[in-house]
C-alpha cells in the first residue's frame, strides 16, 4: 500500500503543529515512518487520504465499540446540532444520560460529566483529597491516567513510548505527593501505606491496565486494594476510562465484584465525542461545588452534542445484553488465531486479553507489570506493525497499547487478520 498523500499531509502538519500531531501517541516515532491521515471511517474500517482501506484495531482508542459512524449515534448528534451546539446551561439530556449511567454501573449514586478522561481523573483526585483531607496518592508504574501533573510519574502509553516517563514541567512539589507502586504487587502497596500513615488520600488504578499493553489484574489484587483502602481510610479510584462500558455493562466493578469509591469514565461513555465523567456514592459526590467545598467546573461540560452521542451509545449497549458476550467471543477467536500462527513461526510472544481488550507482547515470559512489559522486543514490534500496515491492518503505533475490538468486525475480518499475521510473522 502507498501512503504518499499521508506523507505530504504530515509534512504540512509539522510546520504548524508540534510534531505534526495533536496527541503524541499518534506519531510513529517509536515505529518509524509517518502517521496515516484518515479521511473517513465506517464500521470496522478506516479509509485514508490515499484511498486505502484499513481494518481498524484502535477504534479511536476504544470508544467505537459498535463501529465507526454507528447510525444511532450519528443521527442523535445531527438532530441535536440542529437545536444548537452549546448553551452553558443545564439540559434534560444531561439528567437522562446520568440516570442511565448510574443504573448501569454498580456502587455509584451520582455522576458528573467533564470533557476528557484526563479531566475526569484529575477531578477525582481533587475530590478524594478534599473528602479525606489528605494530600498523597498512590499510582502504579505504567498506568496512565491522563496528562495532569500528578499522573506523569512513570506513566504508561505515550510517556513510555517517548522515553520521558517523568515529564519536564511537573514540579517536585507535585511529584512528592505521588507515590509509585508496582502493578499487581500488594506487598509493595502495603509498604507505601505503612510508610505514609494517615497521609494517603487515594489509590488510583487501571483495574485492567491498558497503557502498557493489556495487563489483567492478578487474582486477589483488586480485592486486596479494596481491603487496604477500607482499613486505612483511603479512597479507591478505578480509572475505567478504557474499561468502562467496554468490558461489561457495569465495567470492571461488575466483572470483579470489587467496589471502588470513585470511578472515572471516558471513551465509550461519549460515543466517540470528547466526554469524560467521574462518579461515586452520594456522600463523596456531594463534596463537589455547588453542594460542597471542592471546586470543579467546565464551560463545555455536558455539551449537548456529546451528551446526545453518549446517551445513544449507552442505550444501545444497555438494550443489547449479548453485546459483551459477542465481543468476548470475537476477541477470543482472534487471540487463538494469533497464538497459533506465531507459534508456527517460532516467534517469542505472550498474549494478554480481558474481554475485548487484547495485546501481543513480544516476549515469551508472563507480562504482569511495567517492568515485564518493558522487556518486549520493540524491534520485532516495529516489523510487525509495518507488516500489518502493508496488509491493510491498523494497530496502535506503540508496543505499549492495547488493541480494542469492535462488534462491527466480522469473522471474515478476523480470519483476514490472522492470515495477514501469519504472512508477516514469516518475514520477521
Amino acid at each position: 500500500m502507498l501512503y504518499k498523500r499521508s506523507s505530504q499531509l504530515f509534512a504540512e502538519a509539522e510546520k504548524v503543529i508540534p510534531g505534526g500531531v495533536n496527541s503524541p501517541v499518534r506519531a510513529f516515532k517509536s515505529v518509524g515512518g509517518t502517521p496515516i491521515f484518515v479521511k473517513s471511517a465506517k464500521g470496522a474500517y478506516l479509509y485514508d487520504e490515499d484511498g486505502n482501506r484499513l481494518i481498524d484495531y484502535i477504534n479511536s482508542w476504544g470508544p467505537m465499540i459498535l463501529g465507526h459512524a454507528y447510525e444511532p449515534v450519528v443521527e442523535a448528534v445531527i438532530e441535536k446540532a440542529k437545536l444548537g451546539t452549546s448553551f452553558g446551561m443545564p439540559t434534560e439530556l444531561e439528567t437522562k444520560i446520568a440516570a442511565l449511567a448510574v443504573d448501569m454501573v454498580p456502587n455509584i449514586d451520582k455522576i458528573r460529566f467533564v470533557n476528557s478522561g484526563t479531566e475526569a481523573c484529575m477531578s477525582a483526585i481533587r475530590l478524594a483529597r478534599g473528602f479525606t483531607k489528605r494530600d498523597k496518592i498512590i499510582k502504579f508504574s505504567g498506568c496512565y491516567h491522563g496528562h495532569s501533573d500528578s499522573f506523569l510519574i512513570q506513566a504508561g502509553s505515550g510517556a513510555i513510548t517517548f522515553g520521558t516517563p517523568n515529564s519536564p514541567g511537573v514540579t517536585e512539589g507535585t511529584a512528592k505527593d505521588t507515590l509509585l507502586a508496582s502493578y499487581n504487587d500488594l506487598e509493595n502497596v502495603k509498604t507505601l501505606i505503612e510508610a505514609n500513615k494517615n497521609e494517603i488520600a487515594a489509590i488510583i488504578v487501571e483495574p485492567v491496565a491498558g497503557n502498557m499493553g493489556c495487563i489483567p489484574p492478578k487474582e486477589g489484587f483488586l480485592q486486596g486494594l479494596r481491603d487496604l483502602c477500607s482499613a486505612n481510610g483511603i479512597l479507591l479510584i478505578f480509572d475505567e476510562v478504557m474499561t468502562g462500558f467496554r468490558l461489561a455493562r457495569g465495567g470492571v466493578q461488575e466483572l470483579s465484584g470489587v467496589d471502588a469509591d470513585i470511578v472515572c469514565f471516558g471513551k465509550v461513555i461519549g460515543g466517540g465525542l470528547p466526554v469524560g465523567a467521574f462518579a461515586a456514592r452520594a456522600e463523596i459526590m456531594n463534596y463537589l461545588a455547588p453542594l460542597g467545598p471542592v471546586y470543579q467546573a467546565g464551560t463545555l461540560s455536558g455539551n449537548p452534542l456529546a451528551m446526545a452521542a453518549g446517551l445513544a451509545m449507552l442505550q444501545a449497549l444497555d438494550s443489547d445484553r449479548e453485546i459483551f458476550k459477542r465481543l468476548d467471543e470475537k476477541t477470543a477467536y482472534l487471540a487463538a488465531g494469533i497464538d497459533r500462527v506465531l507459534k508456527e513461526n517460532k516467534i517469542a510472544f505472550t498474549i494478554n486479553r480481558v474481554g475485548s481488550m487484547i495485546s501481543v507482547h513480544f516476549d515469551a515470559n508472563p507480562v504482569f507489570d511495567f517492568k515485564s512489559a518493558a522487556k518486549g522486543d520493540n524491534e520485532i514490534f516495529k516489523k510487525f506493525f509495518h507488516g500489518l500496515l502493508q496488509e491493510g491492518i491498523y494497530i496502535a503505533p506503540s508496543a505499549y497499547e492495547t488493541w480494542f475490538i469492535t462488534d462491527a468486525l466480522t469473522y471474515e475480518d478476523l480470519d483476514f487478520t490472522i492470515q495477514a499475521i501469519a504472512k508477516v510473522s514469516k518475514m520477521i
Side-chain angles (χ1 to χ4, degrees):
M1 287 188 176
L2 298 176
Y3 297 100
K4 183 178 179 180
R5 177 65 176 152
S6 283
S7 296
Q8 292 171 342
L9 289 172
F10 183 60
E12 293 172 15
E14 286 184 297
K15 297 174 184 177
V16 290
I17 300 172
V21 293
N22 280 310
S23 185
V25 78
R26 298 176 192 172
F28 278 25
K29 189 170 182 180
S30 70
V31 294
T34 57
I36 305 302
F37 277 62
V38 178
K39 187 171 186 178
S40 66
K42 181 65 177 177
Y45 312 118
L46 301 169
Y47 299 89
D48 71 10
E49 289 285 354
D50 287 280
N52 299 308
R53 192 194 80 165
L54 302 167
I55 299 176
D56 185 15
Y57 285 98
I58 297 182
N59 287 289
S60 192
W61 307 94
M64 302 309 181
I65 190 169
L66 300 178
H68 290 283
Y70 181 63
E71 202 63 36
V73 170
V74 173
E75 290 176 359
V77 173
I78 290 172
E79 290 306 310
K80 190 56 62 177
K82 292 176 182 178
L83 302 176
T85 58
S86 182
F87 311 121
M89 298 168 65
T91 64
E92 182 183 12
L93 197 54
E94 295 166 79
T95 305
K96 285 184 177 180
I97 187 173
L100 180 54
V102 167
D103 178 67
M104 292 175 74
V105 179
N107 199 44
I108 64 172
D109 299 318
K110 295 185 178 182
I111 187 168
R112 178 164 284 181
F113 288 93
V114 292
N115 299 292
S116 68
T118 291
E119 195 177 337
C121 292
M122 176 185 73
S123 301
I125 289 296
R126 183 184 302 159
L127 177 58
R129 284 171 166 156
F131 185 80
T132 62
K133 298 176 175 59
R134 299 175 180 179
D135 292 337
K136 295 182 179 180
I137 64 169
I138 293 177
K139 75 171 291 287
F140 294 88
S141 298
C143 283
Y144 179 73
H145 307 290
H147 59 87
S148 177
D149 285 3
S150 297
F151 304 132
L152 288 179
I153 316 294
Q154 281 206 6
S157 186
I160 301 174
T161 300
F162 285 86
T164 54
N166 298 291
S167 175
V170 178
T171 68
E172 290 184 11
T174 297
K176 73 178 177 59
D177 286 332
T178 301
L179 308 174
L180 274 176
S182 297
Y183 196 78
N184 276 322
D185 188 342
L186 281 176
E187 289 303 315
N188 184 213
V189 178
K190 289 178 185 177
T191 299
L192 287 174
I193 292 173
E194 289 169 2
N196 297 271
K197 279 287 186 183
N198 302 316
E199 294 183 80
I200 299 169
I203 295 176
I204 185 167
V205 63
E206 289 181 271
V208 173
N211 283 287
M212 41 187 165
C214 178
I215 298 185
K218 288 183 178 178
E219 183 70 29
F221 176 63
L222 297 180
Q223 185 59 55
L225 293 180
R226 174 69 276 167
D227 294 342
L228 286 170
C229 287
S230 297
N232 291 278
I234 298 168
L235 297 187
L236 178 59
I237 302 174
F238 276 5
D239 175 354
E240 293 221 46
V241 168
M242 285 188 176
T243 59
F245 307 104
R246 167 166 280 280
L247 298 185
R249 182 175 180 270
V252 177
Q253 286 191 111
E254 178 186 319
L255 279 183
S256 66
V258 177
D259 288 340
D261 294 300
I262 305 176
V263 189
C264 300
F265 300 104
K267 313 292 186 188
V268 174
I269 201 172
L273 270 69
V275 182
F278 59 106
R281 59 185 185 271
E283 66 171 312
I284 296 174
M285 293 302 284
N286 288 347
Y287 254 69
L288 284 173
L291 292 178
V294 176
Y295 193 74
Q296 184 278 326
T299 300
L300 292 178
S301 295
N303 173 270
L305 301 187
M307 295 294 92
L311 180 60
M313 179 62 76
L314 293 194
Q315 286 173 333
L317 296 175
D318 188 47
S319 63
D320 184 356
R321 296 305 174 97
E322 295 297 312
I323 176 66
F324 299 105
K325 179 182 178 183
R326 290 199 305 275
L327 284 164
D328 184 69
E329 289 172 348
K330 288 180 179 181
T331 314
Y333 183 88
L334 178 64
I338 296 172
D339 182 89
R340 183 181 69 254
V341 299
L342 290 183
K343 282 179 177 175
E344 287 172 355
N345 289 284
K346 297 180 172 54
I347 293 175
F349 72 97
T350 294
I351 295 175
N352 281 356
R353 182 181 79 88
V354 179
S356 60
M357 294 170 61
I358 179 175
S359 59
V360 181
H361 302 266
F362 288 105
D363 186 88
N365 298 304
V367 177
F368 54 86
D369 62 5
F370 173 73
K371 288 183 179 179
S372 54
K375 293 178 181 177
D377 190 325
N378 199 51
E379 291 306 309
I380 289 181
F381 178 81
K382 290 178 185 179
K383 296 175 183 177
F384 185 73
F385 171 82
H386 283 289
L388 289 183
L389 193 59
Q390 286 303 310
E391 295 299 316
I393 295 165
Y394 192 66
I395 63 173
S398 167
Y400 298 104
E401 292 286 354
T402 185
W403 304 9
F404 295 101
I405 306 305
T406 171
D407 194 43
L409 283 163
T410 65
Y411 279 91
E412 288 76 15
D413 294 325
L414 299 176
D415 284 336
F416 180 87
T417 301
I418 293 165
Q419 291 165 10
I421 291 173
K423 180 179 177 180
V424 170
S425 62
K426 287 181 171 67
M427 298 183 290
I428 292 177

